[in-house]
Amino acid sequence: MGMSLFYGFSGSIDFQNMLNNLKENKFKIFIAVIVVIGLALIRAFERKLFYDPFLRYFEADFHSSPYPEVETLKLFWSLFLRYFLNSALSLGLIFALFKDRDIFKFSLFVYGLFLVLFLIAFYIILEYFPDGGWLLFYVRRFLIQPVLVLLFIPGFYYQLQKTKK
């Protein structure tokens, strides 16, 4: 019967099977830990690594405040660099978890497409919508946070489980 623990009406947990799965997926777990540490370091040192006057702006009551003065080229380079670093780590995680070239190529395409769309949207809002604080906040959030990987991993997992049946 192995090591198991009863946890209610739905069955039991097979600890031996869980341990075997952990042993089989050591590489995936290691890569996931490295990626999470990398993303945490980017976040922890964001003020030192990237030029972003909007960090302070969005921490304050920005609803009625004008945008801060920005060096546009420096800001866009910084947004691009941060998006690139987050995307590289995220794509590495996606490839390590799924080891599927088609999933990787699709993810790479979507990350590239969203980079272009979000940078264009950010520029348009910054230049032509001086009262678009909330809109700028959310577009910027997609540029500086690894949001897509949080959507892709469960989506790809679900898709792969669905195609196995």
Side-chain angles (χ1 to χ4, degrees):
M1 177 163 161
M3 295 173 42
S4 63
L5 174 69
F6 184 78
Y7 69 95
F9 295 109
S10 57
S12 62
I13 298 173
D14 184 357
F15 287 111
Q16 191 62 45
N17 191 29
M18 286 174 50
L19 287 173
N20 290 338
N21 283 338
L22 285 174
K23 288 176 186 174
E24 290 174 13
N25 294 304
K26 283 187 286 192
F27 178 73
K28 290 179 182 181
I29 294 167
F30 175 75
I31 295 296
V33 168
I34 295 299
V35 167
V36 169
I37 290 170
L39 293 172
L41 288 172
I42 290 170
R43 173 72 177 190
F45 295 106
E46 66 187 353
R47 291 184 190 277
K48 292 180 179 156
L49 295 172
F50 309 106
Y51 169 75
D52 191 353
F54 287 100
L55 286 171
R56 283 184 219 87
Y57 175 76
F58 287 122
E59 288 173 354
D61 182 25
F62 64 90
H63 307 301
S64 58
S65 302
Y67 297 146
E69 290 294 319
V70 299
E71 296 177 45
T72 307
L73 192 58
K74 192 175 179 181
L75 175 63
F76 276 81
W77 170 250
S78 187
L79 289 172
F80 169 80
L81 183 60
R82 187 161 179 183
Y83 187 88
F84 175 79
L85 291 172
N86 285 334
S87 298
L89 288 169
S90 299
L91 288 166
L93 179 61
I94 288 169
F95 187 75
L97 291 177
F98 299 106
K99 290 192 177 35
D100 185 311
R101 292 182 79 98
D102 291 332
I103 287 176
F104 181 79
K105 288 191 292 189
F106 172 78
S107 300
L108 184 62
F109 173 77
V110 172
Y111 271 99
L113 178 67
F114 279 9
L115 171 65
V116 172
L117 292 176
F118 287 138
L119 284 177
I120 290 170
F122 189 87
Y123 179 79
I124 290 170
I125 296 164
L126 186 62
E127 292 296 319
Y128 300 106
F129 295 94
D131 296 329
W134 278 111
L135 192 55
L136 191 68
F137 175 82
Y138 287 112
V139 170
R140 181 181 156 277
R141 180 70 52 210
F142 272 96
L143 283 167
I144 68 169
Q145 301 297 332
V147 176
L148 293 177
V149 75
L150 298 175
L151 300 172
F152 281 176
I153 290 174
F156 293 146
Y157 179 78
Y158 174 77
Q159 187 66 33
L160 288 174
Q161 293 304 310
K162 192 174 175 184
T163 57
K164 285 182 182 178
K165 292 181 180 180

